[in-house]
Amino acid sequence: MSTEEIRAIELLNRVSYGRVATSMRAMPFVAPARHIVDDGGVLLRMHRGLGYHRACAGSVVAYGADNFGSGDENLWSVQFTGTAEVVEPTEEQLAAFGSAPKIVDGEPFDPVFMRIEPQFVTVHQLDYTLERQLHHAA
Protein backbone atom coordinates (compact mmCIF):
# COMPACT_ATOMS: atom_id res chain seq x y z
CA MET A 1 0.00 0.00 0.00
CA SER A 2 1.39 3.41 -0.95
CA THR A 3 1.81 6.24 1.55
CA GLU A 4 -1.01 8.11 -0.25
CA GLU A 5 -3.35 5.13 0.27
CA ILE A 6 -2.35 4.79 3.93
CA ARG A 7 -2.95 8.52 4.48
CA ALA A 8 -6.33 8.36 2.69
CA ILE A 9 -7.49 5.43 4.83
CA GLU A 10 -6.31 7.22 7.98
CA LEU A 11 -8.34 10.29 7.01
CA LEU A 12 -11.39 8.25 5.95
CA ASN A 13 -11.44 6.63 9.38
CA ARG A 14 -11.96 10.10 10.93
CA VAL A 15 -15.45 10.53 9.45
CA SER A 16 -18.44 8.21 9.15
CA TYR A 17 -20.20 9.36 5.99
CA GLY A 18 -19.30 10.26 2.44
CA ARG A 19 -20.75 10.22 -1.05
CA VAL A 20 -20.65 7.57 -3.76
CA ALA A 21 -20.77 8.71 -7.38
CA THR A 22 -21.42 6.83 -10.61
CA SER A 23 -23.96 7.05 -13.41
CA MET A 24 -27.44 5.62 -13.79
CA ARG A 25 -29.11 5.54 -17.19
CA ALA A 26 -26.24 7.69 -18.54
CA MET A 27 -26.85 10.39 -15.92
CA PRO A 28 -24.37 11.08 -13.11
CA PHE A 29 -25.53 10.91 -9.50
CA VAL A 30 -24.10 11.26 -6.01
CA ALA A 31 -25.61 9.44 -3.02
CA PRO A 32 -24.81 9.50 0.70
CA ALA A 33 -23.37 6.39 2.32
CA ARG A 34 -21.97 5.24 5.65
CA HIS A 35 -18.55 3.65 5.36
CA ILE A 36 -15.99 1.58 7.19
CA VAL A 37 -12.51 0.57 6.08
CA ASP A 38 -11.89 -3.17 6.18
CA ASP A 39 -8.83 -5.04 4.96
CA GLY A 40 -7.80 -2.29 2.52
CA GLY A 41 -11.26 -1.98 0.99
CA VAL A 42 -14.07 0.47 1.65
CA LEU A 43 -17.42 -1.00 2.73
CA LEU A 44 -20.51 1.12 2.22
CA ARG A 45 -23.94 0.92 3.80
CA MET A 46 -26.66 2.50 1.67
CA HIS A 47 -30.44 2.53 1.61
CA ARG A 48 -31.71 -0.18 -0.74
CA GLY A 49 -34.96 1.70 -1.33
CA LEU A 50 -33.22 4.38 -3.40
CA GLY A 51 -31.99 1.76 -5.87
CA TYR A 52 -28.57 3.34 -6.27
CA HIS A 53 -26.83 0.10 -5.39
CA ARG A 54 -28.09 -1.42 -8.65
CA ALA A 55 -26.24 1.24 -10.65
CA CYS A 56 -23.11 0.81 -8.51
CA ALA A 57 -22.90 -3.01 -8.53
CA GLY A 58 -20.27 -4.12 -11.02
CA SER A 59 -19.55 -0.54 -12.07
CA VAL A 60 -16.67 1.79 -11.47
CA VAL A 61 -17.59 4.25 -8.74
CA ALA A 62 -15.92 7.04 -6.86
CA TYR A 63 -16.37 7.32 -3.11
CA GLY A 64 -15.41 10.57 -1.44
CA ALA A 65 -15.42 11.91 2.08
CA ASP A 66 -14.06 15.05 3.71
CA ASN A 67 -13.95 17.15 6.85
CA PHE A 68 -15.28 20.34 5.22
CA GLY A 69 -17.92 20.97 7.87
CA SER A 70 -15.56 20.41 10.78
CA GLY A 71 -14.37 24.00 11.30
CA ASP A 72 -10.78 22.75 11.16
CA GLU A 73 -8.25 25.00 9.42
CA ASN A 74 -6.65 21.95 7.81
CA LEU A 75 -9.29 20.65 5.45
CA TRP A 76 -8.97 17.43 3.51
CA SER A 77 -10.85 15.38 0.98
CA VAL A 78 -10.22 11.77 -0.05
CA GLN A 79 -11.49 9.85 -3.04
CA PHE A 80 -11.38 6.12 -3.69
CA THR A 81 -12.13 4.93 -7.22
CA GLY A 82 -12.76 1.29 -8.05
CA THR A 83 -15.32 -1.35 -8.91
CA ALA A 84 -18.18 -1.83 -6.45
CA GLU A 85 -19.83 -5.11 -5.58
CA VAL A 86 -22.76 -5.98 -3.33
CA VAL A 87 -21.59 -7.99 -0.31
CA GLU A 88 -22.96 -9.52 2.87
CA PRO A 89 -21.09 -8.05 5.83
CA THR A 90 -19.71 -10.14 8.66
CA GLU A 91 -20.99 -9.69 12.22
CA GLU A 92 -17.81 -7.72 13.02
CA GLN A 93 -18.37 -5.40 10.05
CA LEU A 94 -22.02 -4.86 11.03
CA ALA A 95 -20.89 -3.92 14.52
CA ALA A 96 -18.33 -1.48 13.08
CA PHE A 97 -21.05 0.30 11.09
CA GLY A 98 -22.96 1.00 14.28
CA SER A 99 -26.57 2.06 14.42
CA ALA A 100 -28.51 2.78 11.25
CA PRO A 101 -31.09 5.46 10.53
CA LYS A 102 -34.69 4.42 11.09
CA ILE A 103 -36.15 6.36 8.15
CA VAL A 104 -34.66 7.53 4.82
CA ASP A 105 -36.70 9.92 2.70
CA GLY A 106 -39.87 8.91 4.53
CA GLU A 107 -39.49 5.15 4.27
CA PRO A 108 -37.97 2.53 6.60
CA PHE A 109 -34.23 2.11 6.17
CA ASP A 110 -33.34 -1.12 4.35
CA PRO A 111 -29.56 -1.54 4.25
CA VAL A 112 -27.54 -2.83 1.35
CA PHE A 113 -23.77 -3.21 1.62
CA MET A 114 -21.17 -2.66 -1.07
CA ARG A 115 -17.42 -3.13 -1.19
CA ILE A 116 -15.06 -0.97 -3.24
CA GLU A 117 -11.59 -2.27 -3.95
CA PRO A 118 -9.75 1.00 -4.63
CA GLN A 119 -7.78 1.20 -7.86
CA PHE A 120 -7.02 4.89 -7.49
CA VAL A 121 -6.77 6.91 -4.29
CA THR A 122 -6.55 10.69 -4.11
CA VAL A 123 -5.95 12.96 -1.12
CA HIS A 124 -6.44 16.74 -1.30
CA GLN A 125 -5.39 18.98 1.58
CA LEU A 126 -6.37 22.61 2.01
CA ASP A 127 -4.36 24.33 4.72
CA TYR A 128 -5.71 27.72 5.84
CA THR A 129 -3.36 28.17 8.82
CA LEU A 130 -0.81 30.27 6.87
CA GLU A 131 -3.56 32.59 5.60
CA ARG A 132 -4.79 33.11 9.16
CA GLN A 133 -1.22 33.75 10.43
CA LEU A 134 -0.66 36.36 7.70
CA HIS A 135 -4.02 38.00 8.44
CA HIS A 136 -3.24 38.26 12.17
CA ALA A 137 0.27 39.58 11.49
CA ALA A 138 -1.06 42.49 9.41
Side-chain angles (χ1 to χ4, degrees), residues 10-74:
E10 173 190 298
L11 292 170
L12 189 63
N13 277 322
R14 295 182 184 182
V15 296
S16 299
Y17 286 86
R19 291 156 296 284
V20 63
T22 193
S23 63
M24 187 164 52
R25 294 185 292 279
M27 299 296 288
F29 76 88
V30 177
R34 169 78 168 93
H35 65 261
I36 62 169
V37 177
D38 183 70
D39 196 26
V42 179
L43 269 65
L44 306 180
R45 181 179 69 194
M46 302 171 63
H47 176 51
R48 185 183 310 271
L50 300 175
Y52 295 145
H53 66 287
R54 289 191 293 275
C56 294
S59 298
V60 174
V61 303
Y63 184 72
D66 57 61
N67 72 336
F68 291 171
S70 69
D72 195 337
E73 291 180 327
N74 295 302

Side-chain angles (χ1 to χ4, degrees), residues 55-136:
C56 294
S59 298
V60 174
V61 303
Y63 184 72
D66 57 61
N67 72 336
F68 291 171
S70 69
D72 195 337
E73 291 180 327
N74 295 302
L75 300 177
W76 55 264
S77 172
V78 296
Q79 181 173 299
F80 297 80
T81 304
T83 303
E85 64 177 295
V86 175
V87 296
E88 286 298 322
T90 65
E91 290 299 319
E92 294 81 22
Q93 291 167 338
L94 285 172
F97 274 109
S99 64
K102 301 293 182 217
I103 304 290
V104 174
D105 293 341
E107 61 181 66
F109 180 70
D110 181 14
V112 62
F113 298 88
M114 306 200 71
R115 181 175 185 87
I116 302 170
E117 292 296 335
Q119 301 299 310
F120 303 101
V121 176
T122 307
V123 177
H124 296 287
Q125 297 189 38
L126 297 80
D127 186 345
Y128 285 90
T129 56
L130 181 59
E131 177 183 298
R132 186 175 180 153
Q133 290 169 358
L134 291 174
H135 180 71
H136 287 301

